[in-house]
Amino acid sequence: MFVQRCINSDCRSEFDLAARIYVCSRCGNLLDIEKTSRVLDEAGDLQELWNSRLTKPFTLRDRSGVWRFIEFLPFLESDAIVSLGEGNTPLYDAPRCAAYCGLDSLRLKHQGNNPTGSFKDTGMTIAVTQALKLGIKLVACASTGNTAASLAAYAARANLVCAILVPEGQVSEAKLAQALDYGAKVIEIEGNFDVCMRVIQELAEQDLLYLVNSINPFRIEGQKTVAFELSEQLQWEPPDHLIVPGGNLGNSSAFGKGFRELLGHGLTRKQPRISVIQAEGAAPFARFFATNGETEFVNEEHPQTLALAIKIGAPVSWKKGWRAVRETGGRVISVTEQEIADAKAMIGRDGIGCEPASATTVAGIRKLVKDGFIKREDSVVAVLTGHVLKDTDYVIRYHSDTLVAPGQRIRGTFANTITRVAARPCAIESVLKNLS
Ligand code: F0G
């Protein structure tokens, strides 16, 4: 049995799963999906069951890295699901990045290896499945690009009409291209992501559409399964530190919930410290953390960063993100545009690659190691949220030393420049001889 429950400890109002709401209709706070009955299976039996599904004859339901964990999801085995085979993403060792950060080792959980190239798919499979269950016709979201691409794909699979609201000129071409190809109605507006979010929430209140941004608690249910999958990959021993980028703060919220549930059901013995990294020009959560949560949460009016995915000044899920960080003893810090760009190049040099927003993690870890919060020998996992091909313009500019952030030029510290030579073997040979 599952219900929707208000996260405000003074309210705790309960709503049916079928209630088409996004926030508590009494006090306006965020909602959690809560399991009201315990999973009766022993931890060991569940772990075995989840693993065994991976080797079953191929069905998306069994193999999906989200639906594999259905015992902790608010659906029945008999429900029709919308899946593209999301999840089951690799956990890579990243020795170059580890050395760069001052760690003995570092692992990168690459959520960019999802069907549409970002972590959004793990949440979207659940949210669109819920839309189908509710008999919704029109699904929608505001987006900096990845949510849009993901929703567009899952809506297409489910045969639902899909509209996305994006800030004009602030979404990478690759992400827009995906949304267009998957058949979504793309609506550009003047104004940033926060404006898109505000407007679409107003429309959702009028029941004109079903909103699947991460304010929708079903999204979080899907994304929490990454904590399950990651724990499984680590033989059910979570790392000391988990580092995630922070934008709207749905992802950090989801990891907090996932690891809380794992511990609560005896599936693991500890929660990792969850730390969130923001871009310096879009860091309201880091500022809130710096006051120890003792001030009002102040939005950033004019967020600025080349990491467009996290160019967000008014994160809708900050209360859940705060709960995850506080409960696990993590930190929230910001990193500069230069630090993000260099960390991204380093992730590339490990043969992995990611989009700019994801690279905040490695930049953040480097800082957290320097100030002693993370120890050299700690086990650390960084979550890469998007694929390297999500923003190739940024990559090419960095490597040609022409990347410019608002008011500053970014150095191509690890730039890998293209060499132009005449089409003659001897010219190419001289280049090859100089390679080390
Ligand atoms: N990394 C990437 C690649 C993202 O696309 C996002 C958010 C984040 C990190 C931040 O995650 O919002 O859960 O804290 N992208 C949203 C979008 C806002 O519309 O695609 P968060």
Side-chain angles (χ1 to χ4, degrees):
M1 266 286 292
F2 292 84
V3 294
Q4 303 193 71
R5 167 119 36 223
C6 176
I7 66 165
N8 175 1
S9 53
D10 295 329
C11 176
R12 305 286 296 150
S13 293
E14 186 179 305
F15 305 92
D16 193 83
L17 277 191
R20 194 173 153 176
I21 49 174
Y22 311 97
V23 292
C24 175
S25 43
R26 299 228 172 79
C27 74
N29 266 292
L30 298 171
L31 299 169
D32 265 336
I33 306 276
E34 188 183 275
K35 199 163 175 44
T36 53
S37 54
R38 271 192 72 81
V39 172
L40 295 175
D41 306 70
E42 291 293 322
D45 293 343
L46 275 172
Q47 288 161 350
E48 218 169 280
L49 173 68
W50 291 336
N51 193 259
S52 73
R53 286 185 178 142
L54 279 174
T55 52
K56 279 195 160 180
F58 191 86
T59 64
L60 284 177
R61 182 186 295 277
D62 282 327
R63 296 275 183 95
S64 156
V66 173
W67 293 98
R68 224 153 51 79
F69 303 104
I70 192 165
E71 285 72 15
F72 281 75
L73 296 174
F75 291 94
L76 304 171
E77 296 263 6
S78 53
D79 286 329
I81 66 165
V82 187
S83 172
L84 284 162
E86 52 291 318
N88 298 321
T89 58
L91 179 64
Y92 294 117
D93 246 327
R96 277 204 172 94
C97 288
Y100 181 67
C101 293
L103 290 173
D104 289 340
S105 73
L106 171 62
R107 275 173 287 210
L108 306 178
K109 174 75 174 153
H110 209 327
Q111 293 301 96
N113 282 37
N114 265 296
T116 75
S118 87
F119 72 104
K120 306 287 182 180
D121 296 343
T122 55
M124 212 52 85
T125 182
I126 294 286
V128 173
T129 294
Q130 177 65 5
L132 204 64
K133 198 168 175 178
L134 293 175
I136 302 286
K137 298 277 176 293
L138 172 62
V139 285
C141 68
S143 181
T144 56
N146 280 326
T147 306
S150 181
L151 174 60
Y154 282 85
R157 293 299 297 174
N159 235 338
L160 298 176
V161 182
C162 168
I164 60 173
L165 209 54
V166 293
E168 188 186 342
Q170 298 176 46
V171 175
S172 80
E173 272 199 359
K175 296 174 189 177
L176 270 185
Q178 286 182 287
L180 292 173
D181 224 34
Y182 299 136
K185 180 68 206 163
V186 177
I187 306 169
E188 283 186 336
I189 62 163
E190 228 179 280
N192 60 23
F193 169 82
D194 300 310
V195 177
C196 294
M197 194 68 229
R198 203 171 54 233
V199 174
I200 206 149
Q201 276 183 272
E202 278 171 31
L203 290 168
E205 272 167 31
Q206 298 163 24
D207 269 355
L208 207 68
L209 48 86
Y210 185 61
L211 185 62
V212 296
N213 278 98
S214 56
I215 193 168
N216 182 326
F218 285 87
R219 273 276 306 279
I220 303 300
E221 288 307 285
Q223 286 177 214
K224 84 178 179 194
T225 62
V226 184
F228 288 52
E229 183 182 298
L230 173 62
S231 300
E232 182 184 56
Q233 285 170 314
L234 295 170
Q235 281 78 51
W236 302 101
E237 294 284 346
D240 299 319
H241 291 273
L242 182 85
I243 316 294
V244 291
N248 228 1
L249 301 174
N251 205 24
S252 35
S253 307
F255 275 110
K257 188 168 195 282
F259 281 111
R260 190 182 314 127
E261 290 182 5
L262 287 168
L263 185 67
H265 286 81
L267 285 148
T268 54
R269 282 178 299 182
K270 71 169 187 188
Q271 298 186 65
R273 289 174 186 262
I274 297 176
S275 292
V276 180
I277 319 295
Q278 298 203 290
E280 196 178 53
F285 195 41
R287 277 203 303 275
F288 183 67
F289 178 84
T291 69
N292 209 9
E294 280 161 14
T295 54
E296 288 259 300
F297 191 94
V298 183
N299 292 333
E300 169 64 60
E301 278 297 314
H302 303 289
Q304 285 299 348
T305 171
L306 293 180
L308 296 178
I310 51 171
K311 191 174 170 186
I312 295 173
V316 293
S317 294
W318 73 264
K319 283 187 184 168
K320 284 187 184 174
W322 178 239
R323 185 173 63 177
V325 169
R326 206 189 37 198
E327 213 175 273
T328 63
R331 289 201 181 164
V332 188
I333 62 165
S334 65
V335 289
T336 65
E337 294 296 305
Q338 185 69 53
E339 287 168 330
I340 295 171
D342 290 340
K344 197 181 108 53
M346 204 45 73
I347 295 165
R349 294 305 296 272
D350 261 320
I352 296 169
C354 64
E355 69 165 283
S358 313
T360 54
T361 53
V362 168
I365 291 167
R366 193 162 186 248
K367 268 182 124 166
L368 292 171
V369 170
K370 266 200 189 123
D371 72 16
F373 179 64
I374 299 179
K375 307 278 176 297
R376 169 171 274 282
E377 62 283 2
D378 284 349
S379 63
V380 185
V381 173
V383 180
L384 302 183
T385 44
H387 198 279
V388 66
L389 296 177
K390 284 283 192 175
D391 191 349
T392 50
D393 184 56
Y394 182 105
V395 186
I396 299 289
R397 283 181 200 273
Y398 178 83
H399 288 292
S400 56
D401 211 2
T402 55
L403 190 62
V404 180
Q408 58 169 313
R409 208 181 134 257
I410 306 298
R411 277 188 320 280
T413 318
F414 306 112
N416 181 18
T417 52
I418 298 173
T419 304
R420 287 198 89 185
V421 295
R424 284 197 310 273
C426 62
I428 297 169
E429 203 181 309
S430 74
V431 175
L432 298 181
K433 276 187 177 151
N434 284 323
L435 292 179
S436 52

